Amino acid sequence: MITPRFSVRQDDASVYVTIHAPHVRAQTIEFDVDDDQFKFFASPYYLRLTFPGKIVEDQASTASFDAATGDIAVTLSKQTPGEEFANLDLLTSLLATRRERDASEQPGRPVIEEMTDGDGVEAALQQAYVDEDFDWEIPQTLAAAGDEPVLAGSATYGFDQQYSGYLAHVHGTANEINEVADPERMTAEERRRNRIACEDAKFDEDYYMDNYINDEDIRPLVQHQSQAQQALRQQRAHQQDSAVDQLAEQLDQTLPADNSDFTDAEKQTMLDLPRKTHIISNKQAVYLGLVDILFAYALDLRINLDEPSVESAWSIGAVSSSLSNLEQFATLRSVVVACFRRALAYPLYRNWELCERALEDVSAMCKLGRRALLKAMLGLKRLFDKHDVYYVYSKLYLDDYCVWLQTAASDKVIRSLARKLHHFELDKDEIGWNLDAYEDLALMTSESDAGESECGGEPEQHAFSDTTEPDPKPLIQVIGDPGTSAAPDSNAQNSAHAATDLESASLTPALPDLLALEQADPTSQPRTQSKKKPLIEIIE
């Protein structure tokens, strides 16, 4: 049977279901309303919806079929008018059976549990309905490495460590995200040590210092307002009259229509998700893994200004420790440290402020509630599903997160996580790479280069020139009266005078007159001993 596309909305008195079932005959359509369930059948389509409240089929209930568009519009009355049905836009939760819904509403209840007496049963039922209140800073005890299975195919990973065997032949594919040498054999502790070693080897201090000093391209990315922050501002604008403490309790309300509505593609993706009921063994690790993946996604969106690129799948996988090293975290601080380390070692831009802004984006997503987180995970799934190698991470993580966010994730825990992230502070010393020392060295180098540029940047000023080279000496220079001391002229003036004198004077007749004067004066010295300068000097 085929599950048709559908959408659900409500008002105070009714629930409206629109089903898209083209190419069916009207006489084959069947409906059934039973308490909180609505069933639709028209071969080859079948749809069963389980609502959070009870519905009835009365005189106000109607159904209409548009053969041109293939849409069937059904109106169902609420048994209690005015009752608000929650999460009608989370389609996967509507598709769950009653048993699956009851299991998701009692997340702490195991599948099989032996009770000793009536008091024990009562205590267990009360505990089952208590929402989790995690202390994000208390480490959980990990199993010793020697106690974990090391046989081939026995190591577990993925969402809540529920998978194995998916990465047995990962090294035979073009998977550039995976850094685990042997995913099917390595224990969790071995994977963690391998991750830290890979990060230490990948970190490039010259690259980091260059991005620290030459941040012209990074500064606009840091100042960019992400979509999550814009949506959070819009939500707060509707709650500006509320007190700050009341705002925290209202963050799980439905977003404005332009932010909360799922697109047709997202609705179809939710319908295609596997039908699962998750029995989580380590709930805190699941929430922390969500932070790790969302940080990598937020960083990529910020670097690309909210427009994913062809490298986005690899970039997100490389920054996320969960995807690249199959990591499972125990504390919030360990998650943030790992996120910052990888963000400073792998992406195109490696900047501390950029990491802080990405963490703020994750906090904003958590403040917006489950729907914002679900939209982010659906966007991630769309990126990875398109890749012919990286789609495996949708199977290991993203599909389960998309289902879990709709059926079992706690709004209370997500709000707690958002508050922790909002007030989270991380010192650079915790990264382990002496970032402060590298930044000081980068500043000293930059100032030294700037000082050398100021000292040798302008050419030396000479007496004969300002900014142009001196004119060449003329080959013929006219010497003035040897008895007078002429003021020095520029080369250009001497050259002009020489040209004028050569044109106006006839030098050939002057030579016999000079010889006659010398012969007439018996006291005159020989010409060769004369100290007088010639009128014309040939310059070689």
Side-chain angles (χ1 to χ4, degrees), residues 395-456:
K395 305 298 181 184
L396 296 178
Y397 290 96
L398 305 181
D399 288 354
D400 289 282
Y401 270 116
C402 289
V403 175
W404 173 77
L405 283 169
Q406 296 181 73
T407 59
S410 167
D411 290 317
K412 178 181 177 181
V413 176
I414 292 174
R415 289 196 299 270
S416 170
L417 192 57
R419 289 193 295 269
K420 286 289 184 180
L421 290 172
H422 180 73
H423 299 288
F424 195 92
E425 294 183 359
L426 183 67
D427 294 330
K428 294 180 180 178
D429 293 338
E430 298 181 62
I431 303 300
W433 288 333
N434 296 322
L435 298 181
D436 287 326
Y438 288 131
E439 291 175 2
D440 293 341
L441 178 60
L443 288 175
M444 291 174 58
T445 305
S446 176
E447 292 173 357
S448 176
D449 293 343
E452 292 178 1
S453 175
E454 291 177 1
C455 293

Side-chain angles (χ1 to χ4, degrees), residues 358-376:
L359 190 64
E360 293 174 7
D361 293 340
V362 178
S363 175
M365 292 181 193
C366 292
K367 290 177 181 178
L368 290 170
R370 282 195 296 163
R371 287 167 181 79
L373 299 181
L374 177 58
K375 287 179 74 70

